[in-house]
Amino acid sequence: MTAPAGRCAACGTYHWEASIPLVGDRFFLFDTVTALGLMVVAMYGLVALMGLLVEGRPVFLPWQMGAGLFTGFFVLFGLISLAVFQNRVDVTYDVGPGGMVQTAGAKARKVNRIVLFLALLSGKGGAIGSGLLAQSREVTQIAWDEVRGVWYHPGRGVVEVRDNLFRMTRLFCPPALYPEVAALVQAQVAAHPAPAHHANRSALLRTAGWM
């Protein structure tokens, strides 16, 4: 039996579970478009670089290839979200004075294990690496002095926490808990500033438009 949503009086930690929507949700749409866009840009950049090294001039793929790849994977991700996850993933959160922990639900963990098993059967290093990476992300732990940026969405009851350039963790809060969780995050981030070298990097990222 899971613990009810609320705050532990003894340790000051908030605990709750959330069922996060996928297809149709603007956060899912943003993440999917960003990931696929970066993938396509990286592919074009790699081909151009290879052309420069081999032929002495950059080679640019036709735009139709990038558009087709983007559209195909976008539809595939949507179908997987609907067919495999029934358009929702369950997540457990623990947010307190020591930091925050996000734990994937049983369905996501089961899917990750199936994917890893199939990857092991295939014997392909890239597939196995992807499966292991997915498993490693089942539990996300962030200390407050690791936080590089926070964004608040009271209308959705969501707090976005970024601890590095490539990872954004979202706290999908119950309406009753959102004001308290948002206040806790704000207070803890202010009380635990990032180390100087991380702060300088965050300022550089903000200047470049990444944060």
Side-chain angles (χ1 to χ4, degrees):
M1 180 179 294
T2 58
R7 178 179 180 272
C8 171
C11 63
T13 297
Y14 289 89
H15 171 90
W16 73 94
E17 295 181 355
S19 182
I20 302 174
L22 298 176
V23 177
D25 181 77
R26 69 182 180 92
F27 292 117
F28 176 81
L29 179 62
F30 174 81
D31 290 344
T32 304
V33 169
T34 300
L36 293 179
L38 291 174
M39 180 189 72
V40 171
V41 169
M43 181 187 71
Y44 273 74
L46 181 61
V47 172
L49 179 61
M50 291 178 62
L52 186 63
L53 294 176
V54 176
E55 300 183 5
R57 61 180 181 83
V59 175
F60 298 103
L61 297 172
W63 67 267
Q64 293 91 338
M65 181 176 292
L69 197 66
F70 182 97
T71 303
F73 274 102
F74 187 86
V75 173
L76 179 63
F77 286 176
L79 292 175
I80 291 174
S81 300
L82 293 171
V84 178
F85 294 100
Q86 285 78 54
N87 203 34
R88 287 192 173 272
V89 292
D90 297 326
V91 178
T92 300
Y93 296 103
D94 292 281
V95 182
M100 51 177 285
V101 180
Q102 174 185 273
T103 306
K107 183 188 298 182
R109 294 198 302 271
K110 183 177 180 180
V111 170
N112 287 341
R113 279 153 181 74
I114 293 174
V115 169
L116 180 58
F117 176 73
L118 295 176
L120 291 171
L121 289 179
S122 72
K124 296 181 179 179
I128 295 173
S130 298
L132 291 172
L133 181 62
Q135 273 200 317
S136 70
R137 292 178 175 174
E138 290 178 357
V139 179
T140 301
Q141 302 182 61
I142 302 176
W144 295 121
D145 61 359
E146 296 174 338
V147 175
R148 306 292 167 256
V150 183
W151 293 264
Y152 302 93
H153 305 274
R156 289 291 310 278
V158 175
V159 179
E160 293 183 307
V161 179
R162 182 181 293 281
D163 63 321
N164 62 51
L165 178 60
F166 301 103
R167 185 168 68 180
M168 173 80 79
T169 301
R170 296 188 179 92
L171 306 176
F172 287 80
C173 308
L177 288 184
Y178 175 81
E180 299 177 42
V181 172
L184 173 67
V185 172
Q186 187 174 27
Q188 292 295 335
V189 170
H192 299 84
H197 65 284
H198 289 308
N200 293 336
R201 183 176 64 181
S202 297
L204 178 62
L205 293 176
R206 282 193 293 271
T207 301
W210 284 90
M211 297 180 61

